[in-house]
Amino acid sequence: LGTKTGDFITAVDEKSIIVVKELASEEGYQEMEKTAKQILNVLPAEKQEVSHIAYGTIVEEIKEVSRSYKEARMAMDVGRIFFEEKNIIAYSSLGIGRLIYQLPMSLCEMFIKEIFGERNIDLDDETMVTIQKFFENSLNISETARQLYIHRNTLVYRLERLEKMIGLDIRKFEDAMTFKIAMMVIAHMDYQN
């Protein structure tokens, strides 16, 4: 991995390294992603599995580097909570995770209590896989059932059983969105605790 004259690398501690990369005017976020992949690929295989790379927005002036660093730091933290499976995370891809991460704990607790009341939301692995696939397929019952190798009626039964447990019908967009946000809020609360 070569560096340009404007690039510099500094260690924050034994676990963190900051890389500031100078980009040509025609280069953008694709170059950032490519550089992140190159950094990951130079690591030994066992380190690649457990390493995470985050980057902030591209800045025009050196005085803005600290803002981009703070964005990358937030991307790293938010990535640990909501994008655990990703080794590379961009600040610009955090979506609603960035918003949830900045919510105070008291507001999170109030939101969860409003959504679920006194229900204990402890979902088994089969239910979580079903929900994840259902969301990945944009709430499409037929496609989700096909990908899970189950009958359509079995999926409908699982979703109806879930509705009784959580009080939300995730076949409806608004309930699905509420549930997704609530699960992200719970993940954030668990991480903070």
Side-chain angles (χ1 to χ4, degrees):
L1 181 63
T3 61
K4 295 180 183 175
T5 53
D7 298 350
F8 64 87
I9 300 170
T10 180
V12 177
D13 55 40
E14 64 279 350
K15 292 184 178 182
S16 300
I17 297 172
I18 299 172
V19 177
V20 177
K21 176 154 183 52
E22 183 178 28
L23 298 173
S25 59
E26 72 277 358
E27 293 176 325
Y29 289 101
Q30 286 181 327
E31 180 66 24
M32 295 291 292
E33 189 72 18
K34 183 177 147 195
T35 300
K37 286 178 183 172
Q38 287 174 332
I39 292 169
L40 194 62
N41 289 335
V42 297
L43 297 173
E46 67 276 2
K47 293 279 187 194
Q48 287 182 24
E49 295 287 319
V50 295
S51 296
H52 297 279
I53 298 172
Y55 57 91
T57 54
I58 297 171
V59 296
E60 297 291 324
E61 298 178 35
I62 195 77
K63 65 183 179 182
E64 295 176 306
V65 169
S66 66
R67 177 177 52 83
S68 185
Y69 167 74
K70 287 175 187 166
E71 292 170 351
R73 188 85 242 162
M74 180 187 277
M76 186 68 74
D77 292 342
V78 173
R80 280 191 191 108
I81 302 169
F82 304 120
F83 306 102
E84 206 176 342
E85 72 287 351
K86 289 187 178 181
N87 292 94
I88 299 171
I89 187 83
Y91 176 78
S92 60
S93 71
L94 298 178
I96 196 165
R98 187 170 77 201
L99 177 66
I100 292 169
Y101 177 75
Q102 296 178 73
L103 292 175
M105 209 48 56
S106 58
L107 194 58
C108 291
E109 290 165 0
M110 189 172 70
F111 176 74
I112 295 303
K113 192 168 179 79
E114 286 173 10
I115 300 302
F116 298 124
E118 298 303 316
R119 290 183 184 95
N120 181 20
I121 307 304
D122 188 23
L123 304 174
D124 59 49
D125 289 343
E126 179 184 79
T127 304
M128 289 306 293
V129 168
T130 301
I131 294 166
Q132 185 180 351
K133 274 288 176 206
F134 190 54
F135 286 169
E136 283 173 13
N137 288 298
S138 302
L139 313 184
N140 183 314
I141 289 177
S142 297
E143 184 58 26
T144 303
R146 189 185 70 73
Q147 288 185 18
L148 290 172
Y149 304 104
I150 59 175
H151 193 277
R152 184 183 190 285
N153 291 346
T154 303
L155 177 59
V156 170
Y157 169 75
R158 286 183 189 177
L159 295 174
E160 287 172 350
R161 191 180 66 198
L162 176 67
E163 182 181 359
K164 287 179 183 146
M165 274 192 281
I166 65 173
L168 296 168
D169 182 359
I170 66 168
R171 294 172 292 183
K172 297 176 184 168
F173 176 75
E174 188 146 337
D175 281 2
M177 186 175 65
T178 300
F179 179 74
K180 176 72 173 171
I181 292 169
M183 294 312 289
M184 291 178 79
V185 168
I186 289 170
H188 170 57
M189 291 167 64
D190 289 346
Y191 183 80
Q192 295 304 323
N193 291 332

